[in-house]
Amino acid sequence: MRDGTLGWLILRFEQSDLFKDKDPVTGEGLTPKSKHEYKLLSRHVQRWSDECAAAQNGVHPLVADLDPDTIKAWLDTYSDRPSLRKHLYGYIRRILYYAVRQKVMTQNPAARLGIAEPKRRKKLTPLGPDDVIEFVRAADAAGKPWLGTGVLVHFDLGQRQNDVLAMRKPDHYRDGAFRFTQSKVTKDMIVKPFMPETRRRLDTLLDGPIVQKDGAPVPGNYYRKQFRIVARTLPAWASVWETELRHFSIVYARRSGLSPEEIANRSGHSIDETYRILDRYLVLDEELAATGSDKLRAHRRKASTGKGKRSGSV
């Protein structure tokens, strides 16, 4: 492999300290899931390099010769796959920062390409507890009670699917509360389910994985596949993916009156990420508007009472 090419840079990056396993104490490094995703993204970059070489008599482009226009033109070939385009942008930017660090180039040409966050291509109607119960009943009727349990916990706690599938009783659920460490950000969490249906379901489980089939934990790929099979049988769920349950939970929490700070504390998101999700998913409707109006009126009444006077009419 020729030194200075994209393939060479990918190999060097994967051998560097930036690609090391996540340290549970310091939080530095990458989780196995992130490393796997980087590997998948690197194949797209390598394919791009191979295509360039095929058009240039077998000569792969050098990293030092890359410029913003060239990188953006390549990313634009994924314009019909906006989510993948966003992740590829993040990946190429990261490995080129590593190239700068290794003095392969003086500045990162992918640092400021002005690529915006992809917009949702489907209109989202956030679902709530009643919709979740409908899904659980359908899963139970289909002989998949473990799937119903997973969906209940996923929505109720607002946690990542991988963390939900890794939870065990009583290791992570005991005395009516979940105690666990989020795998992605190694953040310690204590979360109490708010839905009585979730608590009743958990109380009937034997010790072991929370989401279990025949006593064994359910693999993520199988869980996702079975989720879609059941979802397609329900009109409200037909276009929903299991990863959206966490966002539905956040939207429901906001509509219920929780502040973004309270939501972040419950879901484990940062405050900035919580606001980003709410801005992206939350549709301002009459219910939310009424909640805000009621809170303002209550605050005014309290303030007026405290001053010993009533609000006058205009």
Side-chain angles (χ1 to χ4, degrees):
M1 184 181 296
R2 183 185 174 198
D3 285 357
T5 62
L6 283 165
W8 169 86
L9 178 63
I10 290 169
L11 182 61
R12 291 284 299 272
F13 173 73
E14 292 179 355
Q15 294 172 343
S16 74
D17 59 343
L18 297 177
F19 203 75
K20 66 182 180 182
D21 292 335
K22 194 175 190 71
D23 188 313
V25 177
T26 65
E28 297 179 350
L30 300 174
T31 63
K33 180 183 178 183
S34 294
K35 294 179 78 169
H36 176 67
E37 290 173 349
Y38 275 16
K39 284 282 191 182
L40 295 178
L41 293 171
S42 72
R43 296 176 188 175
H44 291 271
V45 177
Q46 185 61 61
R47 187 182 307 129
W48 174 37
S49 181
D50 292 342
E51 290 170 352
C52 291
Q56 299 174 19
N57 298 319
V59 178
H60 287 262
L62 295 174
V63 172
D65 294 336
L66 294 176
D67 59 69
D69 290 340
T70 301
I71 297 171
K72 192 170 187 304
W74 168 63
L75 290 170
D76 285 345
T77 63
Y78 292 90
S79 58
D80 61 332
R81 303 173 69 184
S83 181
L84 175 58
R85 180 173 181 257
K86 181 190 75 170
H87 289 301
L88 285 171
Y89 175 40
Y91 176 75
I92 192 73
R93 187 169 52 182
R94 180 155 190 171
I95 65 173
L96 291 182
Y97 272 128
Y98 174 72
V100 173
R101 174 175 156 178
Q102 296 300 307
K103 303 188 185 320
V104 176
M105 57 202 327
T106 58
Q107 58 184 3
N108 187 346
R112 295 179 180 85
L113 295 184
I115 294 180
E117 179 84 3
K119 295 182 179 179
R120 293 187 61 88
R121 289 179 289 178
K122 65 179 181 180
K123 182 179 180 181
L124 175 71
T125 301
L127 305 181
D130 291 343
D131 301 294
V132 170
I133 297 304
E134 179 189 27
F135 185 100
V136 171
R137 288 171 178 163
D140 289 350
K144 301 177 175 68
W146 51 269
L147 178 61
T149 301
V151 168
L152 268 174
V153 175
H154 197 166
F155 174 81
D156 198 323
L157 271 60
Q159 300 299 316
R160 294 179 181 86
Q161 173 201 289
N162 287 348
D163 287 335
V164 171
L165 295 181
M167 290 175 179
R168 298 179 62 88
K169 178 184 177 181
D171 306 54
H172 304 113
Y173 179 75
R174 60 186 181 277
D175 302 326
F178 281 90
R179 298 169 174 82
F180 59 98
T181 300
Q182 289 186 327
S183 60
K184 188 173 182 179
V185 294
T186 61
K187 181 177 181 179
D188 292 333
M189 302 289 298
I190 300 179
V191 186
K192 289 187 176 182
F194 75 91
M195 295 176 62
E197 295 87 353
T198 305
R199 296 193 296 271
R200 287 197 295 267
R201 193 91 164 189
L202 293 168
D203 289 343
T204 64
L205 291 179
L206 300 176
D207 289 353
I210 296 294
V211 183
Q212 58 174 282
K213 185 179 183 222
D214 300 326
V218 177
N221 288 338
Y222 182 75
Y223 178 88
R224 288 187 286 272
K225 181 178 179 181
Q226 296 303 313
F227 176 93
R228 288 299 305 143
I229 289 175
V230 174
R232 284 194 289 266
T233 68
L234 303 170
W237 290 84
S239 63
V240 174
W241 295 88
E242 80 290 337
T243 52
E244 291 174 316
L245 277 169
R246 191 180 190 203
H247 293 156
F248 290 167
S249 177
I250 290 171
V251 171
Y252 181 75
R254 187 71 184 104
R255 286 178 169 169
S256 299
L258 272 67
S259 69
E261 290 77 13
E262 289 171 326
I263 295 170
N265 185 60
R266 182 176 177 84
S267 70
H269 284 97
S270 67
I271 296 294
D272 288 344
E273 180 68 4
T274 301
Y275 274 110
R276 187 192 69 78
I277 292 171
L278 291 173
D279 286 342
R280 183 179 180 187
Y281 285 84
L282 190 57
V283 178
L284 187 62
D285 57 13
E286 292 183 4
E287 179 183 350
L288 187 60
T291 299
S293 180
D294 290 343
K295 284 189 171 183
L296 288 169
R297 281 197 296 268
H299 179 75
R300 187 181 181 193
R301 285 196 298 270
K302 182 178 179 181
S304 298
T305 302
K307 292 179 180 179
K309 61 179 73 174
R310 294 176 59 84
S311 301
S313 59
V314 176

